[in-house]
Amino acid sequence: MTTVLPISGLTNRMQGVINARVLKMWEAVDMRNGNVWAMDFVLLDKEGGAIQGIMPINYYRRMQRDFVEGNVCEIGRFTVEHVKKNGYLTVDHAFTLSFSGQTYVTPVSSNLRDIPTCYFVFKSLEDIGTKITEETQPIDVIGFVSDFTQIEDKMVRGTRARMQVVSIRNERGHTVQLTLWSDFIDALDIIGVHEKSNGEPVILACSSVLVKQYMGTFGLKAYAASRFYTDHKIREVKDFFERFNCNDTVNAKTPTEIDIIDCSPRVVRIKKEGPSIISLADLALLPLDNFSSGQYTCIVDIVGVNNPFDWYYEGCPKCNTKLKETFCSPCKGRKPDPSICYRLLLEVSDDTGTTEFKAVGRTAEGIVGQAASVVKGGMNMDSNELPDPLIKMIGKKFKITVSGKLQVLYKNHRTYNILHTELVSVKEQLSLLPIHDDFGDELVKGDNTVIIEDDCNEANNDVTTSLSSELNAMEDNGSKNLLKEVKQEFKNEVKKKVASSNDKDLKGKRPFDDAGGLPVCKKNPRRKLIISGQSDGETE
């Protein structure tokens, strides 16, 4: 009689038989031609031991009727080998299984309930991006779904694909984002799961997901071996749900856009808020470090480029990593045809100070408006000046989100990695800048209010003059029409208020009745004109 071996006891070149569940299977694809050359799989026995294996595709075709994901099989005449490489190893076992032409697989049905249906070795969400940064080592994580985006259509390498981002949060308040593509969106169906949850927290256990880094932020992504579980009948999901402490989660403050405003064992309501805008002075006071996951948004002007002579580099066409003599360390190969990539150290400023933001790759391309290869190809190589496209971006106002993960170049000098940029339109700038008229009066727009200083001794003036020298300076070819419309709208509004006044004695002195919302002329009055919203009184 053949001895049935436990998976945990398998060692090098051991022969025997195992009874195990086919926990999961996925295709091994040749990246050079896209052909499937083998099938990877994970086996799990009743003792909870798991081992990963591989079989050539022709062997799989011979046994695919019996070797099915979820089936329990008796497997014999396999080969046990040392793990050759740790990359993409989904279980904690020092050996792997290999199938040969001698291997047999026989379905077994007598002990289906004895063998678990899941296998996890959970990692803490706090370790992602700190202790765990390896992007080819799958991990298991668990948490509750705190947020998820709508499904979006994206173009990836010329092919249309669907994308969705799911935020996972643990009981200590730490959040990590999981990116799903196409088939994995259907496999998880988080929208359907959420609708069926009846207000209870959706607990999500992820098996074999990869760590990914994008623009300085670490997250998770699914790949062929990834599996997702939300069923409370699964022991690990049930245990997490039972120890889930809502009060601890509410009190935990993390730098995310999600704020738990009400939480009970049965109800979780989620409120989404946009990122708050802070000044550069406040940004400089934040206790940032090399492991921060915070994101901060500032409205700044680009005032210069601090690296005018090395604003681009030759990078890997696949991962954009800077090449060292045509060699790419992450890809472990030579790249004879490098791509030209941006590396901009931008000096930015606002009313509170000046600092340095770093933009690379496509983020920098979004600021400049042209690809780095195009800019380099059109520049005069004998000139020591910046190319025109880089000069034109200086003076523009952007809303920029930066990472709290700090780059310290020397002493206390801070450089912040840019994650996202958005050009501030002329119309938005009008709401940020002071507006002057020919009376010498200042109208300061902010928080939906306009402050007017009036002088009763001045003669009648034309309300329809230019808004200010600041606004005129903004009048480039792309904004003249917009500025003209805004000016005209402002003129019409003030004219309307003047015409509605019935006080003939104050004609020419800009008298406005209280019902019109503009101040009645007094000696050196100073009041607030409410464009929208409610007045908070007058100030002398």
Side-chain angles (χ1 to χ4, degrees):
M1 182 177 179
T2 305
T3 303
V4 177
L5 303 172
I7 286 179
S8 59
L10 293 178
T11 59
N12 193 32
R13 301 186 183 282
M14 179 176 283
Q15 299 293 318
V17 174
I18 59 174
N19 286 346
R21 184 185 300 279
V22 184
L23 185 64
K24 54 185 173 183
M25 300 173 59
W26 65 97
E27 297 176 340
V29 180
D30 189 336
M31 300 304 294
R32 295 170 295 182
N33 51 32
N35 295 333
V36 178
W37 66 275
M39 294 294 293
D40 286 308
F41 57 85
V42 173
L43 302 177
L44 183 67
D45 66 9
K46 64 180 180 180
E47 287 83 14
I51 191 169
Q52 188 166 317
I54 191 169
M55 73 175 86
I57 192 64
N58 55 326
Y59 297 160
Y60 170 68
R61 292 192 179 108
R62 176 169 57 85
M63 59 182 70
Q64 62 182 344
R65 293 183 61 183
D66 300 325
F67 199 79
V68 178
E69 191 167 310
N71 277 7
V72 175
C73 303
E74 178 183 301
I75 305 170
R77 298 175 186 170
F78 48 79
T79 302
V80 182
E81 300 176 343
H82 275 288
V83 174
K84 296 180 180 179
K85 57 179 182 178
N86 292 328
Y88 299 101
L89 188 65
T90 62
V91 299
D92 187 14
H93 202 295
F95 298 90
T96 60
L97 281 182
S98 294
F99 283 13
S100 66
Q102 304 278 325
T103 305
Y104 70 86
V105 173
T106 303
V108 177
S109 58
S110 59
N111 59 350
L112 287 175
R113 295 184 179 180
D114 297 336
I115 300 180
T117 58
C118 303
Y119 171 87
F120 303 103
V121 180
F122 289 124
K123 301 295 184 181
S124 172
L125 296 185
E126 287 89 340
D127 292 341
I128 297 172
T130 56
K131 298 179 181 179
I132 303 174
T133 57
E134 173 58 53
E135 297 190 359
T136 62
Q137 182 58 55
I139 62 173
D140 305 332
V141 297
I142 190 169
F144 76 92
V145 177
S146 59
D147 192 18
F148 55 88
T149 66
Q150 296 298 320
I151 300 172
E152 301 180 59
D153 285 333
K154 300 283 187 178
M155 291 299 295
V156 182
R157 297 176 184 174
T159 304
R160 187 171 296 279
R162 294 175 298 143
M163 188 194 77
Q164 186 178 37
V165 178
V166 179
S167 297
I168 307 171
R169 195 169 186 173
N170 64 12
E171 64 271 34
R172 293 175 297 279
H174 195 86
T175 303
V176 173
Q177 291 187 333
L178 167 68
T179 302
L180 303 174
W181 293 92
S182 299
D183 292 343
F184 293 106
I185 295 175
D186 300 329
L188 177 55
D189 187 22
I190 190 62
I191 296 177
V193 172
H194 184 267
E195 290 175 350
K196 296 176 183 178
S197 66
N198 295 322
E200 292 186 343
V202 176
I203 310 302
L204 176 60
C206 305
S207 170
S208 303
V209 290
L210 295 175
V211 175
K212 71 181 183 75
Q213 183 182 10
Y214 180 71
M215 302 302 293
T217 301
F218 284 88
L220 300 171
K221 69 176 181 179
Y223 82 114
S226 303
R227 299 293 185 272
F228 306 102
Y229 307 90
T230 58
D231 192 347
H232 283 211
K233 295 179 182 179
I234 297 173
R235 177 174 56 84
E236 291 83 358
V237 174
K238 181 180 178 182
D239 291 346
F240 185 91
F241 181 79
E242 290 178 349
R243 72 172 184 268
F244 177 66
N245 189 324
C246 292
N247 291 329
D248 291 343
T249 305
V250 172
N251 294 329
K253 297 298 182 180
T254 57
T256 65
E257 297 181 8
I258 303 163
D259 184 24
I260 304 296
I261 61 172
D262 184 21
C263 185
S264 69
R266 297 191 59 82
V267 179
V268 174
R269 291 190 287 115
I270 297 173
K271 179 182 178 181
K272 294 183 64 178
E273 296 180 353
S276 58
I277 296 176
I278 67 173
S279 67
L280 293 182
D282 292 337
L283 183 66
L285 296 175
L286 292 175
L288 309 181
D289 55 42
N290 289 332
F291 305 108
S292 175
S293 60
Q295 297 183 12
Y296 307 95
T297 301
C298 308
I299 297 180
V300 296
D301 295 299
I302 296 177
V303 296
V305 178
N306 291 342
N307 59 330
F309 304 112
D310 60 342
W311 55 267
Y312 69 91
Y313 65 91
E314 293 185 345
C316 173
K318 182 178 180 181
C319 65
N320 287 341
T321 300
K322 187 175 182 180
L323 299 179
K324 297 180 180 179
E325 297 180 354
T326 73
F327 185 82
C328 178
S329 298
C331 297
K332 298 180 180 179
R334 296 199 173 276
K335 308 294 179 181
D337 298 319
S339 60
I340 304 300
C341 306
Y342 282 114
R343 179 186 175 274
L344 299 177
L345 297 178
L346 302 176
E347 185 174 351
V348 299
S349 69
D350 64 6
D351 294 337
T352 65
T354 302
T355 191
E356 186 175 79
F357 287 174
K358 178 181 176 181
V360 296
R362 292 184 178 178
T363 302
E365 185 176 318
I367 299 175
V368 179
Q370 294 184 27
S373 58
V374 176
V375 176
K376 179 179 179 293
M379 67 181 293
N380 183 359
M381 302 304 294
D382 297 330
S383 174
N384 292 326
E385 297 181 355
L386 278 174
D388 286 343
L390 270 62
I391 295 175
K392 289 181 180 179
M393 72 178 178
I394 297 175
K396 292 184 178 180
K397 189 181 293 290
F398 284 85
K399 182 185 294 183
I400 298 180
T401 301
V402 296
S403 170
K405 186 175 181 180
L406 194 62
Q407 288 196 352
V408 181
L409 300 184
Y410 53 89
K411 294 185 177 181
N412 294 324
H413 181 80
R414 289 186 170 196
T415 297
Y416 304 86
N417 287 323
I418 296 178
L419 303 179
H420 177 72
T421 64
E422 180 182 345
L423 181 66
V424 178
S425 66
V426 175
K427 199 165 187 177
E428 290 177 300
Q429 291 187 49
L430 292 177
S431 65
L432 300 173
L433 293 175
I435 301 178
H436 304 272
D437 62 21
D438 280 351
F439 294 104
D441 306 332
E442 185 176 8
L443 294 78
V444 183
K445 294 190 67 177
D447 299 326
N448 294 329
T449 65
V450 176
I451 297 177
I452 294 182
E453 280 192 353
D454 215 337
D455 189 348
C456 291
N457 296 323
E458 294 190 63
N460 182 27
N461 291 276
D462 185 4
V463 186
T464 62
T465 55
S466 62
L467 292 180
S468 73
S469 59
E470 289 95 337
L471 298 185
N472 291 332
M474 295 162 50
E475 290 191 5
D476 54 20
N477 292 333
S479 60
K480 285 184 178 179
N481 291 336
L482 179 57
L483 278 171
K484 188 179 297 183
E485 293 177 5
V486 174
K487 290 178 182 179
Q488 188 61 44
E489 182 180 351
F490 180 78
K491 299 172 189 177
N492 295 340
E493 180 69 19
V494 177
K495 282 185 176 181
K496 183 177 179 181
K497 297 293 183 181
V498 174
S500 64
S501 175
N502 294 322
D503 193 339
K504 297 181 180 179
D505 295 334
L506 293 176
K507 187 176 180 180
K509 303 291 186 179
R510 295 196 303 153
F512 306 118
D513 57 18
D514 290 334
L518 292 172
V520 176
C521 185
K522 296 180 181 179
K523 185 176 181 181
N524 296 325
R526 179 177 176 86
R527 295 189 181 185
K528 288 188 176 180
L529 163 63
I530 306 303
I531 299 300
S532 63
Q534 305 229 346
S535 173
D536 55 356
E538 68 176 62
T539 57
E540 294 294 337

